[in-house]
Amino acid sequence: MKTTPFTETHIALGAKMHEFAGYNMPIEYSGIIDEHMTVCNAVGVFDVSHMGEFWVKGPNALEFLQQVTSNNVATLPVGKAQYTCFPNEEGGIVDDLLVYHYEPEKYLLVVNAANIEKDWNWCVSHNTVGAELENASDRMAQLAIQGPKALEVLQKLTPVNLSEIPYYAFATGEFAGVKEVIISNTGYTGAGGFELYFYPEDGEKIWKAIFEAGAPEGIKPVGLGARDTLRLEMGFCLYGNDLSDTTSPLEAGLGWITKFAEGKNFTSRALLEKQKAEGLKRKLIGFEMVDRGIPRHGYTLVNAEGEKIGEVTSGTMSPMRKIGIGMGYVQTAYTAVGTEIFIDVRGRKLKAVVVKPPFRK
């Protein structure tokens, strides 16, 4: 298995380790619920160094990104980030990702760990305009410091005024004595905070500085288990569960990152425009359990008559709400908020109701 600059630290801290996307990653330390609540109420640190990073540079960088991503990169100013996806030829999703406009003619793409090779091959094979591509995944490490006290903790370690970095914006500056750290006001938890990008050799220094600075605020390391429950409470999609090669961004409720702007001829644009005009046969919905039970990925969704109407893509017991919550694709007739649906749990039909995420207000 691959490792991150923090793997030995996780093991020394007693983390429960497991393979994820080919990496030896921490799933939990003190327990998923405890870590989840730490992020919601204070501050927690995630090792996300397994994520992939690609640089796109040169005079043709923008043209390339306009061809391979669904969102309109032409509207993205330097210093801002954008959520987007790579549509495939069938209207599905190769991956969802972040695009950072780092400098004029220079962009950073941050992709999912499980899709690094797939995404890199996709970008290379679709680079028909001669943009300069660099796979920097092995030369970048990343920590996500999330929670309402994240800014207070991190501000002790940098001269960059963090309160002046709006949501989905970033700055590059000194952090914990390390130069050229990308400090990004993004995250996957809905609890606020920042993501830091830096060279792997600076990882140990940055980790120690953050935990020393955050000790008074009760900072804790957080594993991938709580990362999943946090993102699900916010209704954020996870590739491989809620997004895939066979789900379109429109079906997934990502019409807001699918821009049919003039001159933006991205992969499968015509197909997605047709889908939008004709209407969708299924959509991704959020639901809360009415009956006691925990929905899980792959469970069948049925109507009152027991007929299959869809499938659960993500589900858990909400640590904040103490009820079962989930997301799944259903036939469009069952997508209205308030609609009763049922989850088939080993032959038992458990009632749920369609709601609009986030589940955690």
Side-chain angles (χ1 to χ4, degrees), residues 7-204:
T7 302
E8 294 306 317
T9 301
H10 302 317
I11 294 168
L13 290 170
K16 181 180 175 184
M17 305 292 289
H18 198 273
E19 185 273 334
F20 180 81
Y23 285 81
N24 191 15
M25 296 298 292
I27 304 304
E28 60 181 287
Y29 299 83
S30 56
I32 290 173
I33 293 175
D34 179 65
E35 292 166 31
H36 183 111
M37 301 307 286
T38 295
V39 172
C40 289
N41 299 321
V43 58
V45 179
F46 301 82
D47 175 11
V48 280
S49 302
H50 59 318
M51 299 289 280
E53 293 90 9
F54 308 155
W55 289 107
V56 181
K57 297 176 272 190
N60 298 324
L62 176 60
E63 185 181 355
F64 166 75
L65 291 173
Q66 289 290 70
Q67 289 181 1
V68 296
T69 69
S70 62
N71 211 333
N72 189 1
V73 190
T75 64
L76 184 65
V78 171
K80 294 290 181 72
Q82 184 182 74
Y83 180 57
T84 188
C85 73
F86 295 133
N88 64 23
E89 274 97 353
E90 292 77 43
I93 299 172
V94 177
D95 200 7
D96 62 328
L97 66 146
L98 289 180
V99 176
Y100 289 85
H101 196 171
Y102 190 73
E103 292 172 355
E105 300 187 355
K106 186 174 183 179
Y107 298 83
L108 177 66
L109 312 187
V110 182
V111 304
N112 284 298
N115 292 336
I116 294 173
E117 185 177 359
K118 172 190 175 188
D119 291 354
W120 177 250
N121 291 338
W122 180 265
C123 287
V124 170
S125 64
H126 287 75
N127 183 16
T128 58
V129 297
E132 186 183 337
L133 304 180
E134 178 192 346
N135 186 349
S137 302
D138 293 335
R139 296 186 298 283
M140 290 184 84
Q142 189 190 155
L143 291 175
I145 301 86
Q146 297 283 295
K149 296 182 179 178
L151 189 149
E152 184 183 342
V153 170
L154 299 182
Q155 192 61 77
K156 301 174 188 177
L157 300 170
T158 179
V160 176
N161 189 338
L162 301 181
S163 61
E164 290 184 355
I165 303 176
Y167 191 46
Y168 267 69
F170 67 96
T172 302
E174 186 175 316
F175 183 89
V178 177
K179 297 193 186 315
E180 293 190 351
V181 175
I182 298 173
I183 306 168
S184 171
N185 185 351
T186 47
Y188 195 47
T189 66
F194 294 83
E195 293 177 310
L196 307 176
Y197 299 83
F198 45 87
Y199 291 112
E201 55 266 30
D202 295 318
E204 186 178 354

Side-chain angles (χ1 to χ4, degrees), residues 227-271:
R227 187 170 166 84
D228 191 47
T229 55
L230 285 157
R231 70 90 193 168
L232 182 48
E233 279 191 342
M234 290 305 296
F236 294 156
C237 292
L238 175 65
Y239 195 90
N241 284 42
D242 318 296
L243 308 175
S244 74
D245 289 304
T246 58
T247 58
S248 90
L250 302 181
E251 292 172 336
L254 299 178
W256 61 280
I257 66 163
T258 310
K259 303 291 173 61
F260 303 112
E262 187 178 347
K264 183 169 171 61
N265 298 312
F266 60 84
T267 314
S268 73
R269 170 174 173 157
L271 198 155

